[in-house]
Amino acid sequence: MDDLNVKNQPALKQFVPTPPRPPRKSEKGIFGTIRHRCFNSIGNSLLTLCVATVLFYLVKHVLDWAVFNAVFIADNRRQCMDISPDGACWAGVISWFNGLIYGRFPVDEQWRVNIGVLLGLVWLLPLMSKRIALRNFILLSWIGLYPFVGGYLFLGGRFGEELGLVHGAMTCLALAFLAIIYANWILSALGKKGLNELFVPLVSRLVERRIHLLSFVAVWLLVALVIASGLSQVSLEPVPIERWGGLFLTFIIAGFAITMAIPVGVILALGRRSKLPVIHWLSMTVIELVRSVPLITVLFMAVTLLPIFLPADMEFNKLTQVLVAVCLFAGAYMAENIRGGLQAIPKGQYEAAATLGLGYLHTMVLIILPQALRMMIPNIMTSFISLLKDTTLVSIIGLFDIMLMARNIANDKDWVGMHTEPLVMISVLFFILCYSMSQYSLNLEKRLKVDR
């Protein structure tokens, strides 16, 4: 009986180990990444091969035209055609390069443009240092004071003669402010007190409140007087605005419009949200009226219609009219971007500010606007990039910006009919500028943690 039970029991299963799987192929490195992303299936492999073939022929023809068969040294377009009929004639662009950058600015005075641009960059350099307190004032000073320095360098003239006294005084104050910024930066790096601290003991004997502010003002005025005494002996060759042009003029229009777009946009956005009917309807009318027409229409209206409504003895140059029109146009679009940011702020932020006893101005400046502007950085930077490209439209109304200078190359008797090369150069230049602005925007978003 026991033998029969043993025969009926199922046999024990034998353990069979699973064969070891082959090690996973490494996907690190360039080849691993390409294989994982571009050749991970038959369809993707075919698509990759098709795109690579098209890119190969496209890049090959572009390089052949722009580099290998191009002519860089020639006296005229006919000579370029004789040397290499299938390549680009960069000799014409090189010949006109100075005009493309500086327009018709006198050659002997172009160093002033370089100094002006360099000063603008040097002014913003301390923003990178964390040793300087109240760095926002550096940015505000660049917006409010640097235009006077730039205007003095670009326009030229002598204090009290070609250059007005107010412009001269503001130029001296601007340069004095810049000098104090760098002096305080160097002193802080050396572990010493700022320059304005030197007057604190003297000012404290005269007043009891706002001692540091008054000591800073005293140092500022003293340095400005020293600079004024030096600049009063300098006379720069006057250069009329009609001689400005090229990339230099494009930077002036775009820089001024970008700088003024946010203040104008903030005012219009707050005005549109205002509960006061007059301010609300006035702001909304400006925004809707400007947004409803293209920029070229606004430019023509500023140049042709605006002088009709001004008094007979009041006359502005064309550049001033264009700057006003572009600022108004950019401000109207910026107002809607900022208004979107304001609407995204939770109501609790307003209630918390009211709980702290803050008024409307302090609530907006200290709490609401910083958050709204931070959230709208991508939209704001997109508007700036679009505005930079739109500034080329001023060539239609006769300003010699880089586009009009490029078109003039084709009218030169030595380079008749050369349109492609200048436009390619301008395209590459604007791509570099716009891509740099885009990358700066991404870096700013990471630094400010916009997505938190």
Side-chain angles (χ1 to χ4, degrees):
M1 187 65 181
D2 294 338
D3 296 339
L4 182 61
N5 292 336
V6 171
K7 290 180 180 178
N8 292 334
Q9 290 181 353
L12 293 177
K13 293 182 178 179
Q14 295 293 326
F15 172 75
V16 178
T18 304
R21 290 178 296 179
R24 188 176 182 181
K25 295 181 180 179
S26 175
E27 295 179 352
K28 295 181 179 179
I30 297 176
F31 295 105
T33 304
I34 293 175
R35 184 171 58 248
H36 175 67
R37 295 186 178 182
C38 302
F39 296 96
N40 54 0
S41 66
I42 296 176
N44 280 348
S45 300
L46 293 175
L47 185 61
T48 301
L49 291 175
C50 292
V51 172
T53 305
V54 172
L55 283 179
F56 172 76
Y57 281 102
L58 184 63
V59 172
K60 178 179 180 300
H61 282 82
V62 169
L63 289 178
D64 286 342
W65 178 81
V67 180
F68 300 123
N69 297 330
V71 179
F72 295 92
I73 300 175
D75 294 330
N76 50 55
R77 183 169 172 78
R78 172 56 58 190
Q79 192 174 358
C80 279
M81 299 293 288
D82 294 338
I83 297 174
S84 177
D86 298 328
C89 182
W90 296 117
V93 177
I94 295 173
S95 174
W96 272 77
F97 186 77
N98 193 274
L100 290 173
I101 301 300
Y102 300 101
R104 299 181 298 166
F105 210 89
V107 177
D108 295 336
E109 305 295 330
Q110 288 175 0
W111 62 271
R112 286 154 49 180
V113 177
N114 300 333
I115 294 294
V117 175
L118 187 63
L119 266 181
L121 298 176
V122 167
W123 201 306
L124 296 175
L125 196 60
L127 289 175
M128 301 173 62
S129 173
K130 296 182 179 179
R131 291 177 177 272
I132 299 179
L134 302 175
R135 286 181 294 170
N136 291 336
F137 283 97
I138 297 177
L139 184 61
L140 293 176
S141 68
W142 187 82
I143 295 173
L145 297 176
Y146 172 71
F148 293 99
V149 180
Y152 168 66
L153 287 171
F154 303 151
L155 288 171
R158 190 181 180 88
F159 282 4
E161 297 179 4
E162 296 88 355
L163 195 69
L165 289 176
V166 175
H167 190 175
M170 293 303 297
T171 302
C172 295
L173 288 173
L175 291 174
F177 193 88
L178 179 63
I180 293 174
I181 289 174
Y182 270 86
N184 286 342
W185 192 12
I186 295 173
L187 291 174
S188 66
L190 297 175
K192 297 183 179 180
K193 294 182 179 179
L195 194 63
N196 52 306
E197 297 293 332
L198 297 176
F199 279 72
V200 169
L202 178 61
V203 175
S204 61
R205 296 177 184 175
L206 303 175
V207 296
E208 296 180 353
R209 300 179 61 185
R210 303 183 186 279
I211 296 174
H212 292 276
L213 176 62
L214 293 177
S215 62
F216 177 81
V217 173
V219 171
W220 191 9
L221 292 177
L222 184 62
V223 176
L225 286 175
V226 174
I227 292 176
S229 63
L231 289 181
S232 61
Q233 308 300 322
V234 178
S235 177
L236 298 177
E237 180 69 23
V239 178
I241 292 178
E242 290 75 16
R243 301 292 299 273
W244 297 7
L247 185 64
F248 160 59
L249 183 60
T250 301
F251 277 161
I252 287 181
I253 298 174
F256 193 83
I258 289 173
T259 303
M260 296 304 297
I262 289 185
V264 174
V266 168
I267 292 173
L268 290 176
L270 294 180
R272 184 162 186 171
R273 289 169 56 89
S274 174
K275 296 180 180 177
L276 300 176
V278 175
I279 297 178
H280 170 77
W281 285 104
L282 184 61
S283 302
M284 192 176 69
T285 302
V286 172
I287 292 172
E288 297 299 335
L289 184 65
V290 175
R291 284 202 314 161
S292 302
V293 294
L295 177 58
I296 187 62
T297 307
V298 178
L299 291 175
F300 274 114
M301 289 176 62
V303 174
T304 58
L305 294 182
L306 184 61
I308 298 175
F309 300 103
L310 293 177
D313 56 344
M314 185 179 293
E315 184 178 356
F316 294 105
N317 58 66
K318 189 179 290 185
L319 179 60
T320 303
Q321 297 169 6
V322 168
L323 289 177
V324 172
V326 174
C327 288
L328 194 61
F329 184 83
Y333 277 89
M334 192 60 63
E336 289 304 281
N337 287 335
I338 295 173
R339 192 168 68 90
L342 293 175
Q343 289 179 344
I345 301 298
K347 194 176 179 180
Q349 297 288 318
Y350 294 91
E351 295 172 350
T355 305
L356 292 173
L358 298 179
Y360 177 79
L361 181 61
H362 287 90
T363 301
M364 287 296 168
V365 173
L366 300 178
I367 296 178
I368 304 301
L369 280 176
Q371 298 183 68
L373 293 175
R374 190 181 63 185
M375 284 192 297
M376 301 310 293
I377 284 177
N379 291 358
I380 291 174
M381 192 55 69
T382 302
S383 298
F384 285 167
I385 292 174
S386 176
L387 186 61
L388 174 64
K389 294 184 291 185
D390 287 344
T391 53
T392 55
L393 291 174
V394 299
S395 62
I396 299 176
I397 58 173
L399 288 182
F400 285 86
D401 75 325
I402 190 170
M403 284 296 294
L404 191 54
M405 294 302 294
R407 274 189 283 174
N408 283 341
I409 298 178
N411 299 326
D412 189 342
K413 61 182 178 58
D414 292 330
W415 311 101
V416 173
M418 195 173 74
H419 298 281
T420 308
E421 289 85 350
L423 293 179
V424 170
M425 191 211 76
I426 293 175
S427 302
V428 173
L429 181 63
F430 270 80
F431 173 78
I432 294 173
L433 293 175
C434 295
Y435 186 74
S436 302
M437 293 173 67
S438 174
Q439 292 302 305
Y440 176 75
S441 170
L442 294 175
N443 180 270
L444 194 62
E445 289 177 33
K446 291 179 182 176
R447 198 167 20 148
L448 297 179
K449 300 179 179 176
V450 175
D451 56 345
R452 68 182 179 182

